Amino acid sequence: MIEVGVGVGSPPLVLTVIIENAGELFGIDGVIPGSCVGIIGDTVVALGDLGGFDTRSAVRLDARGGLVTGGLVDAHTHLVFAGDRADEHALRARGATYLEIAEGGGGIASTMRQTRACPVEVLVLEATRRLDRLLLGGVTTTEIKSGYGLDAQSELKLLHAIKRLSETHPMEIVPTFLGAHTIPPEHRSNRTRYVDLVVEEMLPEVAEGRLARFCDVFVERGAFEPQEAVRILGRARSLGLGVKLHVDQLTAGGGAELAAHLGATSADHLEHVSPAGITALARAGTVAVLLPGAGLFLGEDVRPPARALLDAGVPVAIATDCNPGTCPSTNLGLMMTLAVSRLHMQPDEALRAVTSSAARALDLPPRLAGLTIGAQADVAIFGVPTHRHLPYAFGADVTRAVVKRGKILFEREPCPSFSSLTTR
Ligand code: NIG
Ligand code: FE
């Protein structure tokens, strides 16, 4: 048993919530022996068994032999947007590429037009539904980027929508400013003017209003050049924001090297990362955030080299990338499946990629990095017996219950078609 807070001779501390009958407890360092979690207030105080604590008045949550983990963390989403791009999905099936569609005025610019025209209340409502779906999948913390406004007023509208979501939704939200997502059509003839706008107008307002923890830049053909990213992220850092980059997604461009050079907290995508880029990330301690849903949805064969990254010592996180263009999905469990099936990660690596490594990609405190004594009581219970069965539950809805900051948010029966998985 592991426990805290019980001094010799002092009266036993009173648990507020007990999770019992876990088939497996998966903690910050892997599988923990035992079957119970004890919670007081918003903190995990016992893991394994509950000896020493007063259990009489606790609310009991029966895991029924299921897997119990820390709440999952989705380290990369663009989930505040309006409209959809189903037309582009169909166009790609006819052979058009993502870059061709973007060059023709579609892509990010299409969502930008729909998002600029959308009232903030509607953006908040639609994003709330996406957060609900994430939560139903066991996610209790998520990052959300702006990036579909692409002018000062609209980017601030998105960041205010994200702020409103963090005030109204139980999900813990890490906001990221992605004003440098692409050059909006009105600035394409003078891109420097747009970079000036991001650096001199948007970033100071974002920082002053404390509207974002990170600044992200999409470095890619048709988006931003490395030198532009250096300027934008240099300013962001001087204003107290952390640094993230979308790099090496569609074409190879030394993006990982750039992220390492800038001391970025994370480098995201990395389908085309070079061997030198992998070494640079490992040296810099930059987290690789891989988004296997995006490549799959775009129909790309190139996959990020998760094995090479892990073997080089780069922490690897997996995220949904939830966005209307490259991955309209909130299914983080499915991304774990893809991590195992397509990126050759082991199930325990896939689970760390959505807990401790994802927390690291967001620079979250250890309290939010998974189950351990003293952790914030964010817990997910799944109707599968072990962590190996979570990525195995291909596309299925297996979450049984979610606890956020010690509060039971929901508890439900497992999906009946998955009952076979709950028998060992
Ligand atoms: O992460 N790569 C850039 N941004 C998004 C796609 C945005 C869009 O197509 O709307 C991504 O894949
Ligand atoms: Fe993205």
Side-chain angles (χ1 to χ4, degrees):
M1 184 195 60
I2 315 163
E3 63 183 53
V4 288
V6 186
V8 180
S10 54
L13 294 172
V14 181
L15 295 177
T16 48
V17 175
I18 294 171
I19 298 167
E20 54 196 354
N21 301 322
E24 183 180 293
L25 290 175
F26 195 96
I28 231 166
D29 298 313
V31 177
I32 299 166
S35 61
C36 297
V37 181
I39 294 168
I40 298 179
D42 71 352
T43 304
V44 173
V45 296
L47 271 177
D49 74 48
L50 308 170
F53 285 96
D54 180 341
T55 61
R56 283 170 299 176
S57 58
V59 175
R60 287 172 183 267
L61 196 48
D62 189 346
R64 299 186 202 186
L67 169 70
V68 175
T69 72
L72 308 186
V73 178
D74 190 345
H76 180 137
T77 85
H78 308 245
L79 64 72
V80 182
F81 62 85
D84 70 76
R85 309 229 296 273
D87 51 343
E88 296 180 6
H89 190 211
L91 276 176
R92 279 195 299 276
R94 290 213 178 88
T97 69
Y98 180 86
L99 283 173
E100 284 164 3
I101 293 169
E103 276 156 18
I108 295 168
S110 161
T111 301
M112 177 208 77
R113 286 188 289 275
Q114 301 177 75
T115 304
R116 281 183 182 174
C118 186
V120 69
E121 294 74 20
V122 179
L123 288 171
V124 168
L125 199 72
E126 295 196 352
T128 298
R129 293 205 187 100
R130 294 181 193 117
L131 288 178
D132 288 347
R133 287 205 296 275
L134 273 181
L135 202 67
L136 287 169
V139 176
T140 53
T141 300
T142 188
E143 187 246 22
I144 309 179
K145 301 171 198 296
S146 68
Y148 291 118
L150 305 181
D151 61 36
Q153 189 196 341
S154 310
E155 281 297 307
L156 289 171
K157 175 173 81 169
L158 288 175
L159 291 169
H160 279 292
I162 296 170
K163 184 163 185 249
R164 184 124 31 115
L165 291 165
S166 43
E167 289 160 358
T168 55
H169 202 279
M171 185 75 70
E172 194 133 354
I173 295 172
V174 176
T176 294
F177 170 61
L178 179 59
H181 200 183
T182 193
I183 310 270
E186 65 271 23
H187 288 290
R188 291 223 169 130
S189 57
N190 184 0
R191 52 189 299 131
T192 310
R193 173 76 198 111
Y194 186 67
V195 177
D196 289 346
L197 213 68
V198 170
V199 168
E200 285 155 26
E201 217 177 287
M202 297 191 209
L203 268 171
E205 275 208 61
V206 170
E208 209 202 331
R210 297 179 169 275
L211 292 170
R213 293 247 302 270
F214 290 96
C215 179
D216 193 344
V217 176
F218 183 22
V219 176
E220 185 57 69
R221 214 180 90 199
F224 291 84
E225 303 289 339
Q227 278 321 306
E228 293 168 335
V230 168
R231 189 174 157 215
I232 293 165
L233 294 169
R235 183 67 197 273
R237 173 153 283 151
S238 75
L239 291 166
L241 296 171
V243 167
K244 288 177 167 288
L245 288 125
H246 278 71
V247 280
D248 298 331
Q249 179 184 7
L250 304 163
T251 55
E257 292 88 330
L258 175 69
H261 172 71
L262 291 172
T265 305
S266 74
D268 301 35
H269 280 291
L270 299 172
E271 279 81 348
H272 294 270
V273 66
S274 68
I278 295 175
T279 308
L281 292 176
R283 275 208 198 105
T286 298
V287 180
V289 179
L290 309 184
L291 307 156
L296 185 78
F297 188 75
L298 291 179
E300 302 272 346
D301 291 327
V302 186
R303 305 166 200 186
R307 258 304 18 111
L309 286 158
L310 284 163
D311 294 346
V314 178
V316 170
I318 296 286
T320 61
D321 199 12
C322 174
N323 77 79
T326 66
C327 195
S329 171
T330 46
N331 192 336
L332 190 57
L334 177 61
M335 305 310 151
M336 292 175 70
T337 303
L338 298 178
V340 175
S341 298
R342 286 182 41 100
L343 307 187
H344 307 293
M345 290 172 70
Q346 283 299 305
D348 64 320
E349 292 170 332
L351 193 45
R352 284 196 182 90
V354 295
T355 50
S356 50
S357 299
R360 199 165 155 190
L362 297 179
D363 203 15
L364 295 173
R367 230 174 111 65
L368 286 166
L371 278 185
T372 190
I373 297 296
Q376 181 166 299
D378 293 359
V379 186
I381 302 177
F382 299 99
V384 297
T386 75
H387 70 276
R388 287 190 312 282
H389 294 83
L390 195 53
Y392 177 69
F394 186 15
D397 177 11
V398 294
T399 315
R400 281 215 54 241
V402 167
V403 176
K404 179 67 184 171
R405 293 196 184 94
K407 283 212 175 83
I408 300 167
L409 295 183
F410 70 88
E411 188 186 359
R412 63 178 179 180
E413 291 305 308
C415 172
S417 63
F418 258 80
S419 55
S420 60
L421 278 179
T422 61
T423 34
R424 286 194 216 219

